[in-house]
Amino acid sequence: MSERFLMPSRRDVLLLSGLGLLLASCSTVGVLTAVDGAEDETAAAVPLVNKVRAERGLSPLKAKSAARSAAQEQAVRMAKAEQMKHLIGRGDDFKSRMKRRDVPLPAAENIASGQASVEEAVEAWVVSPRHLTNMLGSYDGVGVAMARSSASRTYWAMVLSA
């Protein structure tokens, strides 16, 4: 008795390939995880930022998981590059980063480097007119994170979102 091996047809290969692509594209939308190497400083930052907003009669911000995740990503990116920049590398753009982390637009980002604590980072943003404008904007969500470079320099990111 001889064994017979069947060769898959081109159609079978295409169907299986399509199924594989479909399964590979499945994701857990809405489930955001912490970014390795980042410290979530949102809980400590929210009261500091809301105090500044309250002094100006503005509504408080709330911690938002998407903004937290985007801030963590940016802090880690800066720490790895050892550069305090919004845009790192070719083709980087803010809107795509926010979309990737499901941050609702409009959104804004504050960055800082070298501060030893969340209090120092928030104060640096308060005394900077452009960063303060972001913190006083028409946002209701916020996330703040810090990451350290291999040289132990701190990099801070704040993401404000609708």
Side-chain angles (χ1 to χ4, degrees):
M1 180 181 247
S2 68
E3 291 183 17
R4 190 168 176 195
F5 294 98
L6 296 175
M7 292 294 292
S9 69
R10 182 171 185 224
R11 181 175 180 260
D12 292 336
V13 170
L14 289 173
L15 282 171
L16 289 173
S17 296
L19 180 61
L21 286 173
L22 178 66
L23 292 173
S25 68
C26 291
S27 67
T28 54
V29 175
V31 177
L32 300 172
T33 58
V35 176
D36 287 340
E39 295 179 24
D40 182 358
E41 296 286 347
T42 306
V46 166
L48 303 171
V49 175
N50 283 341
K51 181 176 185 259
V52 172
R53 289 176 62 88
E55 290 168 353
R56 290 158 176 86
L58 298 171
S59 60
L61 300 177
K62 298 175 286 255
K64 297 275 182 114
S65 63
R68 283 176 153 168
S69 180
Q72 290 172 353
E73 178 184 3
Q74 181 62 12
V76 168
R77 293 172 73 240
M78 292 188 300
K80 284 182 179 177
E82 294 190 357
Q83 296 179 355
M84 187 185 78
K85 290 176 138 182
H86 291 281
L87 304 178
I88 300 171
R90 262 184 110 167
D92 186 15
D93 82 274
F94 178 74
K95 190 173 179 180
S96 294
R97 282 193 288 114
M98 295 304 108
K99 186 175 180 180
R100 182 172 58 245
R101 292 290 175 175
D102 294 325
V103 174
L105 299 176
E109 177 179 78
N110 287 348
I111 58 175
S113 179
Q115 293 77 13
S117 68
V118 68
E119 292 83 7
E120 287 181 20
V122 170
E123 183 59 26
W125 292 323
V126 168
V127 299
S128 165
R130 292 180 85 187
H131 293 104
L132 179 60
T133 297
N134 283 346
M135 293 187 342
L136 301 178
S138 297
Y139 303 108
D140 69 359
V142 65
V144 178
M146 185 274 293
R148 292 185 191 281
S149 71
S150 59
S152 294
R153 183 165 182 84
T154 57
Y155 290 87
W156 297 86
M158 169 189 280
V159 172
L160 301 129
S161 68

